[in-house]
Structure formats: structure tokens, C-alpha cells
Amino acid sequence: MQYIDIALKLITGMIGILFFLRIAGKGQMAQITPLDTVSAFVIGALVGGVIYNPDMRVWHLMFALALWTLFNLFIRFCMRSSLLRRIIKGDSVYLVKGGVLNFKVFKRNSLEMEQFRVLLRQKGVFSMFDVDDVRFETNGAITVSEVGKVAESYLLVNNGAIVDSSLVHCNKTRAWVTRHIRDNGFNHPSDLFCMEWTPGKGLYIVAKNGDVKRGKEEIPAEQIAGEILN
């Protein structure tokens, strides 16, 4: 009977974790942020603790997984606020800007030069002479812009909120972003799913309804869906 109980808990735990990942989205598997790390530890502790505790039943496991899933969704809802998102998820930072190493960021992230060189080699870059900009992403990976090869782009609006850290990196202001939003036929950043700016190329704007604007050309969401299906 005890073996059957363990098997039921194990199956319930697996189904519960799969359900949690479906609710949280595929982004949960694509990148590891501090929130994702905490979620992994908590879920592992919940399932492992309940499986080998004879006093805990399958219903206890189901309740714990459901409660954690709801709490996780609540945290992700709160992350719509740019301030809370920065606190919970963090921001990407420049390790190298214009070929110059940012020593303070290295120290703040406890990153040694040899570790940094390993990350560069994984990107196919073997010399600092080839590096223009390097960003340290929230999941611990790096994004490398090589000298003369990659044009930088900036995410100015994310899920209806202006990304202040991007404004700092590209030397723009909220007034500049708001003006371009209105010039493209929208009233407020909350009308947008995202807005990206690439120097020399312009703005790439996606509205909340899925419509896309590249410069003066607007592409309806229905047309994009048709192109994908075809």
C-alpha cells in the first residue's frame, strides 16, 4: 500500500509540474531568472518532501502545487510594474561598452576575467579586440556585439511599460519614446505589446492587438497570421 501511495504521489507531482510549466509558459524553460530558480527549488522541495512523508497525502501535494502555481502567477502579474520587474527579475547590464570593460559590473556580479573569456569563447569570440559591446543578461548568459558586425537594438516598451534601463543604454528619454508612440498613431505605452528601436533602421512596434508597424507601414495581425499559415 505504501508503494502505491508513493507511485500516486510521484505521478501527481509529475502532472502538477507539467501543468505548472504550461501555465507559466515556455519562457520558463527558455531562460533561468531568479524567479525561475526559486520556483524550481520550491517545486522540487514540495514534490520530494510529500513523496517520502507518509503523513502527507496526494491531496496535500495537489493543494500545495495549485497554491504555488497561483502565487507564481500573482508574482508574474505584479511584474507588469517596471519597478517590481526590475526588483524581481533584474536588468541586463553592460560588461563591456564601446570596447571598454566595466570593472564595477564585474565586481558586483562576482565575475572573473577567465569566466568572462569562457563565455566569449562559447559565442565564438576569442579576443577582446573583436568585442564592441557585451551585455550580461538576467539569465547569466551574455550577448556580444562584435566590432563592425552587429547593430545594437533597444527594447523601449515591454508589455505596455517603458523600459527605463534601455533608455539609459541608448541615451533616450521617456518624452522621446512617448512622442514616437503618438507619431505612430498610439496614445500611450499601455497600447503596445512592445517597441524596439534600432539605430539606422527605426522603430519596430507591436500593438496589444497584434498589429505591427515598421516605420510608416502597418501590418494587420490577420495578415501576419495568414503569412504564418501559408
Side-chain angles (χ1 to χ4, degrees), residues 14-195:
M14 181 179 295
I15 295 174
I17 293 173
L18 290 174
F19 180 75
F20 171 79
L21 291 175
R22 292 291 295 177
I23 293 295
K26 293 182 179 180
Q28 180 87 3
M29 296 176 283
Q31 60 175 334
I32 300 297
T33 64
L35 179 61
D36 300 329
T37 302
V38 171
S39 295
F41 281 131
V42 170
I43 290 177
L46 285 175
V47 176
V50 172
I51 286 177
Y52 299 106
N53 187 342
D55 296 327
M56 303 292 289
R57 313 307 301 169
V58 173
W59 308 112
H60 295 136
L61 177 59
M62 293 176 64
F63 173 77
L65 287 173
L67 183 61
W68 178 250
T69 300
L70 290 174
F71 179 70
N72 194 275
L73 291 175
F74 172 73
I75 293 296
R76 292 177 185 276
F77 176 79
C78 292
M79 286 173 60
R80 294 184 179 183
S81 165
S82 58
L83 176 61
L84 290 177
R85 182 169 60 249
R86 191 179 307 115
I87 294 173
I88 297 172
K89 190 175 181 180
D91 282 326
S92 61
V93 292
Y94 278 102
L95 292 169
V96 179
K97 182 68 175 175
V100 179
L101 188 146
N102 191 333
F103 186 59
K104 291 183 179 179
V105 175
F106 269 76
K107 292 185 65 177
R108 185 164 62 247
N109 290 277
S110 301
L111 186 65
E112 298 179 356
M113 191 61 188
E114 183 52 39
Q115 293 174 305
F116 177 61
R117 284 170 53 81
V118 170
L119 294 173
L120 285 178
R121 289 196 293 270
Q122 291 174 347
K123 296 292 184 179
V125 180
F126 298 91
S127 172
M128 286 296 295
F129 286 103
D130 298 327
V131 174
D132 187 15
D133 295 336
V134 179
R135 297 181 79 165
F136 200 30
E137 307 294 353
T138 56
N139 63 352
I142 62 171
T143 303
V144 183
S145 298
E146 297 183 57
V147 176
K149 288 188 178 181
V150 180
E152 181 67 278
S153 64
Y154 304 92
L155 183 63
L156 303 180
V157 176
N158 180 38
N159 198 24
I162 295 177
V163 183
D164 292 312
S165 59
S166 295
L167 299 183
V168 174
H169 294 323
C170 66
N171 295 320
K172 299 298 181 183
T173 63
R174 281 176 164 263
W176 185 90
V177 174
T178 303
R179 185 175 72 251
H180 280 80
I181 289 174
R182 291 173 178 169
D183 288 345
N184 282 276
F186 302 98
N187 297 319
H188 194 269
S190 60
D191 298 330
L192 306 181
F193 174 71
C194 69
M195 185 172 84

